[in-house]
Amino acid sequence: MKKTFLLTFLCSSFLLSGCWSSREIEELGLNVGIALDKGDKVAENMGRVEETPDSSGFLFTNTYQYVNISAVPSGSKDGGSGQKQYVNISEVGGTNHQIIREVSLREENPIMFQHTKVIVVSGDLLKDTSMRKLLDLFLRDNEMRLSCIVLVTKGSAKEVLNLKDPSVIPSLRLVGIGDNVYRSTKILKPMTLTRLQGNIYSNNSYLIQNVVSKSGEVRFSGAAVFSGKTNKLIGYLKEEDLTGVTMITGEAKGGIIKVNEGKKGRQRDFEIKTIKSTITPKVLNGKISFHINIAAQGRLSENWFLSHRPINQVLTQSEKEIKKSMEQRLTQALKMTQKKYKADVIGLGERLRIKYPRTWEKVKSNWDSTFANVPVTYSVEVNITDYGYNDPKS
Amino acid sequence: MGNGEKKKPIQGQSKALRLTGVFQDDIAHIQQLLEENSDVLYRNFRLSNTNKRAGLFLIDGLADKELVDKFILRSLMAPFSEEDHELIEQEGLKNYLKNTVLSIGEVKETNTLSNAVNEILDGMAVLIIESVTEAIILGIKKVKSRSLEEPISEPLVRGPRIGFTEALKDNTAILRNQGQNEDLVMINKTVGKRTKKKAVITYIKGVADQNLVDEIVKRIDRIEIDFLPESGYIEQMIEDNYITPFPQIQNTERPDRVIGALAEGRVAILLDGTPYVLIAPVTFSMLLQSPEDYYERWMPGSLIRVLRFLAAFISLYGPSIYISFISFHPGLIPTKLAISIASSRVGVPFPAFLEALLMEIAIEILREAGLRLPKPIGPAIGIVGGLIIGEAAVTAGIVSPFMVIVVALTAISSFAIPQYSVGITLRMLRFISMFAAAVFGLYGVILFTLLLLSHLVRLKSFGVPYMSPWTPLSIKDLKDFVLRAPVFKMKRRPMMLDTKDVRRKG
Amino acid sequence: MITHSSNKISTVQAVLIVTNFILASGILTLPRKAAEAVKTPDVWISIIISGGIAILLGIIMAKLSQCYPDKTFYEYSAKLMGKWLGMAVSICFVIYFCILSAYEVRIMAEVTGYLILEGTPSWAITIPFLWVGYYLLIGGITSIARLFEVIFPITIIVFLLVIAMSKETLQLNNLRPVLGLGFSPVLKGLKPTILSFIGIEIILFIVAFMEKPKRAVRAVTIGSLIPIFFYIIILLTVIAALSVNGVVHRTWPTLDLIRGYEIKGLLFERFESFLLIIWTMQIFATFVITYFAASLGIFQVFKVKERKVFLGLLPVLFFISMIPKTLDEVFMIGDMLGKAAVILCGVLPLPLLILAKWKGRMK
């Protein structure tokens, strides 16, 4: 009897008071992307009764993209209502968390960040504010996934999250493009929050994929260079430069290298199947130097210029051309990173740390400036393993 | 009968009245005891040419009348020869009749009135002879039994098509016939204080653990209840723990299942009047097994078993996991799934828990209704319930299509459990786990699981831990757990049963 | 049938009690604590060494208990050290187990509240957890041992699965160089890593319940090898994924490892819930066994009825678990427990063993 009473009491007490944390899925704003831009008081003030000037004086704009669930075609309902499947909402404020709470003044559903896939940060903002500060909330808070990726845009981040096509959620498209890393040498391995945090705290310089948008379309274009010390943006790498970098870091998984044999109209395409980069640090009498060896294998995938030479000559010639082209890109990449930006974003320091940990302990505090002056040599091996079919003329 | 118990069948009589040998008195006493029973037939006749009167009592409908006419009355009334009279002088009339005249298989005698009356009520013919102080009991009972049909509650694709019936003798006969084994022991027991019923405890001597048999016999002897309509009563009277949703004794209609269990060293209990035979001890994994697992080759057998464990899991946790994801942890499901679930829930007025509760209760009512309805209407319920209610509820926006899928999947899963009683257990627990999920989400589900496991590890069926062979771990017994090893590999009987003869083969 | 109904546990069960006790809250925080101390990727060497030390201590304790094979430490401590000293040490153990038990509960409530039940008050998370533990405890040591047998395979399978799926995020370079700065960082890591073997002392109390007390040494050795294996895998993967610098900045690095990846094309993309499930089960295991050890002490030292102790201890544990106000205070209690463990399980057993052997020889 006593037991039964106790049990009933316990059960009922939980049932009556329960469900503290429960919130139905459709009552949450499923956030999928965040864009951080420079502050723009006028455009975003939404007619607040009183403009509350932020005491810190620093203002920036957050744009939250969440799924407009009533516009998502589901099951029997007809898709393609023409309505956008996402809603972007922008707010201005001095810190991220504050801005999030500002949104609660405008929307009935609280925003949930567990599905946030991408954070796009405007390059202008990053030029004078460090990445660590801007993303501190997201690294500290438990809600955001560490698998969320970070992108930088040269233009307006808000625009990146705004596509012409209403049937696509822009954030998901950005993540999808990032997955194409095996198809192009111009895509960096996605910078997840996990990796970003490692970089921020180890003072390594790093690259983040740059994305541009124009009239409702987006494109991955080059990368932004960040200094390890300040975590601020110091410049951009062009798409072509990026190819060289991904080859050195080994992030390139596949892609096309186009070469010309002499004149115009004599294009050939080399499709990379495997590419391997070996960085060998050397320390001689306290002098640090590096050698980079790149070995690429692949196939001749497209050939516009049919010559009468036998195929193995064509292949040798092509290999030479490809090698030259790759070497050019390496030179360019090294020039940009070593001379222009003076930031080791190609992972040489990492190799030094592994191979010569004690040397690294000495130079790590000032590595980027050391890096700018270390001699780097490189060699490239290209091997065409497959060329489709024999050209009929040969 | 005869465990010596004498209960008066009709009140107001002093017990253990003996037959006097005075014919009128004896007959009168018996008739007095049987006074209100209109189905008792009494035949008064003269014993051949001996000048003695005799009376035969039997129950109309229970007795095989042809047998009575041909082999009792005719032999008793036919004239005795000279030699017969000599034999009568030598052996006494009673023994002479038993030895020479009554060509009946089952003959007993008794000297008390109450026993005689009990035997009559049990369907025996009772012969009272003038100046003989014992009544002769003649087994002429003919039980009305149906033919042996395929068990309805446990059909198999492959396996014998025979099932137990309501007649105890048929059932014991089936067991004898199917498992011809001189060590097959059948202990008779009478259960029920007022309305007596026969029960048989059966096991294989030399295999089953004697302690186990003794324990079961002891527990059955301890039953004190006036009437046992079905073996479920025995089950509930002898089980180890009554505060548990889990059955600790298996019931089955399938003789092959019983034989299999006996061969493993288990004990079966048969009760007259029900086709359900009890098997003890039982473990949880046994309840998810089907004899078919052994008939099919080991690979399909094992896979089907895995499937069944999966079904049990879904049936227990399906809705609660859904609730915890939808109401508590929408971040844990894939983004695209989250989006499509969210969009399908737009306009649903209830929280996921209430939605699930509504649908689950609806399904349970539907199941119960389908069961109780006359057979021809049964399928109609399925159509009304499944199609119309499901479809209409979704169209009306009361429940989301995802919930219908979850509920339907759970329902199907619970029907895939081979034992009906376990299916019910899982359904019951499912509601508790739904409550747990509604309060604490996934954490609630974990707590519920821990509570359930804590309960299960404490449970025993006749001393055998319910969760064996998982715990206490017995590597050898794992050959017949979720997976089933090839038959030739299963050389030993289950270790958990402590069988006398461990080796099964080789 | 007779053997099953006895109050004894098998050797496998003894192994699992040791293992499940050791594997607890440490799983989530060990990489951070170790990396903070070592600062190089060599933490996994530290754990191997400290594991070896732990096994050594475990063997000493097992040997000590084998001198009195059918008695728990609470019972023989009085014989060994005299009535009052023995009682004092026993009470120390009881207090230690109570606080450890409450500590585990609190850590569980913190993590659960932080990750999956934001907004639920921590008493509401704690109380049902305690009740479930109480229900299991009524069944005695055999039930506890059996529950461990049930949850252990689940733990192993889920754990290995979840870890294996993180392979995309692993960067082997983060684990290199091995011993790049010599051996001294490894030694710095010994202190935090040895504390992750708290729980090995349970062997002092379970030998009395073993069917074959002679196998106590084997039980404690295997029982600690399994956690060593777990810890090595965790340290390697977490550091490979988050890098030493990243690990230091995460409160629950192991969870972040799992939170750092998504697998597309499955029913689930995210697997931290799986880790939390097995982790909660492990915490439950540790909680129950400490709860049992504490109650055992009380009813063996003070000769009180079992059930009363079980029930009476529940509110005590609840209030202890509610004492720390912030997470930092919780971790501070953890450090205090570590110190207590070093004295009770590191320093004490060896002299006691010598004493016991000496007394045995005197007879």
PDB file of all heavy atoms in Angstrom, chain B residues 360-373:
ATOM      1  N   GLU B 360      -1.864   5.378 -30.984  1.00  0.00           N
ATOM      2  CA  GLU B 360      -1.581   4.071 -30.402  1.00  0.00           C
ATOM      3  C   GLU B 360      -2.847   3.498 -29.775  1.00  0.00           C
ATOM      4  O   GLU B 360      -3.151   2.311 -29.920  1.00  0.00           O
ATOM      5  CB  GLU B 360      -0.478   4.168 -29.341  1.00  0.00           C
ATOM      6  CG  GLU B 360       0.921   4.337 -29.905  1.00  0.00           C
ATOM      7  CD  GLU B 360       1.420   3.098 -30.631  1.00  0.00           C
ATOM      8  OE1 GLU B 360       0.822   2.016 -30.459  1.00  0.00           O
ATOM      9  OE2 GLU B 360       2.377   3.213 -31.393  1.00  0.00           O
ATOM     10  N   ILE B 361      -3.567   4.346 -29.067  1.00  0.00           N
ATOM     11  CA  ILE B 361      -4.796   3.846 -28.441  1.00  0.00           C
ATOM     12  C   ILE B 361      -5.775   3.417 -29.527  1.00  0.00           C
ATOM     13  O   ILE B 361      -6.410   2.363 -29.432  1.00  0.00           O
ATOM     14  CB  ILE B 361      -5.384   4.928 -27.513  1.00  0.00           C
ATOM     15  CG1 ILE B 361      -4.477   5.091 -26.301  1.00  0.00           C
ATOM     16  CG2 ILE B 361      -6.790   4.554 -27.069  1.00  0.00           C
ATOM     17  CD1 ILE B 361      -4.904   6.165 -25.347  1.00  0.00           C
ATOM     18  N   ALA B 362      -5.870   4.215 -30.576  1.00  0.00           N
ATOM     19  CA  ALA B 362      -6.764   3.855 -31.673  1.00  0.00           C
ATOM     20  C   ALA B 362      -6.399   2.488 -32.231  1.00  0.00           C
ATOM     21  O   ALA B 362      -7.265   1.629 -32.460  1.00  0.00           O
ATOM     22  CB  ALA B 362      -6.701   4.917 -32.763  1.00  0.00           C
ATOM     23  N   ILE B 363      -5.105   2.271 -32.425  1.00  0.00           N
ATOM     24  CA  ILE B 363      -4.643   0.990 -32.982  1.00  0.00           C
ATOM     25  C   ILE B 363      -4.983  -0.156 -32.035  1.00  0.00           C
ATOM     26  O   ILE B 363      -5.440  -1.226 -32.460  1.00  0.00           O
ATOM     27  CB  ILE B 363      -3.121   1.034 -33.228  1.00  0.00           C
ATOM     28  CG1 ILE B 363      -2.809   1.899 -34.433  1.00  0.00           C
ATOM     29  CG2 ILE B 363      -2.566  -0.355 -33.397  1.00  0.00           C
ATOM     30  CD1 ILE B 363      -2.626   1.158 -35.719  1.00  0.00           C
ATOM     31  N   GLU B 364      -4.792   0.077 -30.743  1.00  0.00           N
ATOM     32  CA  GLU B 364      -5.068  -0.988 -29.777  1.00  0.00           C
ATOM     33  C   GLU B 364      -6.559  -1.328 -29.777  1.00  0.00           C
ATOM     34  O   GLU B 364      -6.941  -2.493 -29.721  1.00  0.00           O
ATOM     35  CB  GLU B 364      -4.630  -0.569 -28.369  1.00  0.00           C
ATOM     36  CG  GLU B 364      -3.130  -0.487 -28.184  1.00  0.00           C
ATOM     37  CD  GLU B 364      -2.423  -1.797 -28.483  1.00  0.00           C
ATOM     38  OE1 GLU B 364      -2.851  -2.851 -27.988  1.00  0.00           O
ATOM     39  OE2 GLU B 364      -1.451  -1.765 -29.252  1.00  0.00           O
ATOM     40  N   ILE B 365      -7.388  -0.294 -29.848  1.00  0.00           N
ATOM     41  CA  ILE B 365      -8.830  -0.542 -29.881  1.00  0.00           C
ATOM     42  C   ILE B 365      -9.195  -1.319 -31.143  1.00  0.00           C
ATOM     43  O   ILE B 365      -9.972  -2.271 -31.129  1.00  0.00           O
ATOM     44  CB  ILE B 365      -9.598   0.789 -29.817  1.00  0.00           C
ATOM     45  CG1 ILE B 365      -9.381   1.434 -28.462  1.00  0.00           C
ATOM     46  CG2 ILE B 365     -11.083   0.572 -30.065  1.00  0.00           C
ATOM     47  CD1 ILE B 365      -9.981   2.803 -28.328  1.00  0.00           C
ATOM     48  N   LEU B 366      -8.568  -0.914 -32.214  1.00  0.00           N
ATOM     49  CA  LEU B 366      -8.816  -1.566 -33.493  1.00  0.00           C
ATOM     50  C   LEU B 366      -8.464  -3.044 -33.434  1.00  0.00           C
ATOM     51  O   LEU B 366      -9.197  -3.916 -33.901  1.00  0.00           O
ATOM     52  CB  LEU B 366      -7.903  -0.893 -34.512  1.00  0.00           C
ATOM     53  CG  LEU B 366      -8.429  -0.778 -35.914  1.00  0.00           C
ATOM     54  CD1 LEU B 366      -9.559   0.197 -35.917  1.00  0.00           C
ATOM     55  CD2 LEU B 366      -7.309  -0.282 -36.807  1.00  0.00           C
ATOM     56  N   ARG B 367      -7.315  -3.311 -32.815  1.00  0.00           N
ATOM     57  CA  ARG B 367      -6.863  -4.694 -32.699  1.00  0.00           C
ATOM     58  C   ARG B 367      -7.835  -5.505 -31.869  1.00  0.00           C
ATOM     59  O   ARG B 367      -8.248  -6.597 -32.243  1.00  0.00           O
ATOM     60  CB  ARG B 367      -5.487  -4.694 -32.034  1.00  0.00           C
ATOM     61  CG  ARG B 367      -4.835  -6.034 -31.895  1.00  0.00           C
ATOM     62  CD  ARG B 367      -3.624  -5.925 -31.017  1.00  0.00           C
ATOM     63  NE  ARG B 367      -3.935  -5.363 -29.704  1.00  0.00           N
ATOM     64  CZ  ARG B 367      -4.515  -6.050 -28.735  1.00  0.00           C
ATOM     65  NH1 ARG B 367      -4.835  -7.299 -28.902  1.00  0.00           N
ATOM     66  NH2 ARG B 367      -4.776  -5.473 -27.573  1.00  0.00           N
ATOM     67  N   GLU B 368      -8.237  -4.898 -30.737  1.00  0.00           N
ATOM     68  CA  GLU B 368      -9.145  -5.598 -29.842  1.00  0.00           C
ATOM     69  C   GLU B 368     -10.481  -5.820 -30.546  1.00  0.00           C
ATOM     70  O   GLU B 368     -11.071  -6.902 -30.477  1.00  0.00           O
ATOM     71  CB  GLU B 368      -9.324  -4.768 -28.570  1.00  0.00           C
ATOM     72  CG  GLU B 368     -10.104  -5.426 -27.464  1.00  0.00           C
ATOM     73  CD  GLU B 368      -9.387  -6.631 -26.881  1.00  0.00           C
ATOM     74  OE1 GLU B 368      -8.187  -6.793 -27.139  1.00  0.00           O
ATOM     75  OE2 GLU B 368     -10.060  -7.433 -26.201  1.00  0.00           O
ATOM     76  N   ALA B 369     -10.942  -4.806 -31.260  1.00  0.00           N
ATOM     77  CA  ALA B 369     -12.235  -4.925 -31.941  1.00  0.00           C
ATOM     78  C   ALA B 369     -12.174  -6.004 -33.011  1.00  0.00           C
ATOM     79  O   ALA B 369     -13.089  -6.820 -33.144  1.00  0.00           O
ATOM     80  CB  ALA B 369     -12.600  -3.579 -32.554  1.00  0.00           C
ATOM     81  N   GLY B 370     -11.084  -6.018 -33.738  1.00  0.00           N
ATOM     82  CA  GLY B 370     -10.948  -7.013 -34.799  1.00  0.00           C
ATOM     83  C   GLY B 370     -10.969  -8.419 -34.241  1.00  0.00           C
ATOM     84  O   GLY B 370     -11.436  -9.368 -34.870  1.00  0.00           O
ATOM     85  N   LEU B 371     -10.457  -8.549 -33.005  1.00  0.00           N
ATOM     86  CA  LEU B 371     -10.362  -9.857 -32.373  1.00  0.00           C
ATOM     87  C   LEU B 371     -11.723 -10.348 -31.915  1.00  0.00           C
ATOM     88  O   LEU B 371     -12.050 -11.528 -32.025  1.00  0.00           O
ATOM     89  CB  LEU B 371      -9.445  -9.704 -31.158  1.00  0.00           C
ATOM     90  CG  LEU B 371      -8.661 -10.898 -30.712  1.00  0.00           C
ATOM     91  CD1 LEU B 371      -7.679 -11.255 -31.788  1.00  0.00           C
ATOM     92  CD2 LEU B 371      -7.926 -10.541 -29.428  1.00  0.00           C
ATOM     93  N   ARG B 372     -12.529  -9.438 -31.391  1.00  0.00           N
ATOM     94  CA  ARG B 372     -13.789  -9.831 -30.753  1.00  0.00           C
ATOM     95  C   ARG B 372     -14.931  -9.997 -31.746  1.00  0.00           C
ATOM     96  O   ARG B 372     -15.923 -10.619 -31.436  1.00  0.00           O
ATOM     97  CB  ARG B 372     -14.207  -8.788 -29.706  1.00  0.00           C
ATOM     98  CG  ARG B 372     -13.184  -8.503 -28.660  1.00  0.00           C
ATOM     99  CD  ARG B 372     -12.974  -9.675 -27.726  1.00  0.00           C
ATOM    100  NE  ARG B 372     -11.731  -9.496 -26.995  1.00  0.00           N
ATOM    101  CZ  ARG B 372     -10.834 -10.463 -26.807  1.00  0.00           C
ATOM    102  NH1 ARG B 372     -11.042 -11.673 -27.284  1.00  0.00           N
ATOM    103  NH2 ARG B 372      -9.731 -10.220 -26.152  1.00  0.00           N
ATOM    104  N   LEU B 373     -14.787  -9.377 -32.894  1.00  0.00           N
ATOM    105  CA  LEU B 373     -15.901  -9.412 -33.836  1.00  0.00           C
ATOM    106  C   LEU B 373     -16.058 -10.800 -34.440  1.00  0.00           C
ATOM    107  O   LEU B 373     -15.099 -11.569 -34.491  1.00  0.00           O
ATOM    108  CB  LEU B 373     -15.651  -8.416 -34.957  1.00  0.00           C
ATOM    109  CG  LEU B 373     -16.097  -6.999 -34.678  1.00  0.00           C
ATOM    110  CD1 LEU B 373     -15.713  -6.120 -35.839  1.00  0.00           C
ATOM    111  CD2 LEU B 373     -17.598  -6.956 -34.477  1.00  0.00           C
TER     112      LEU B 373
END
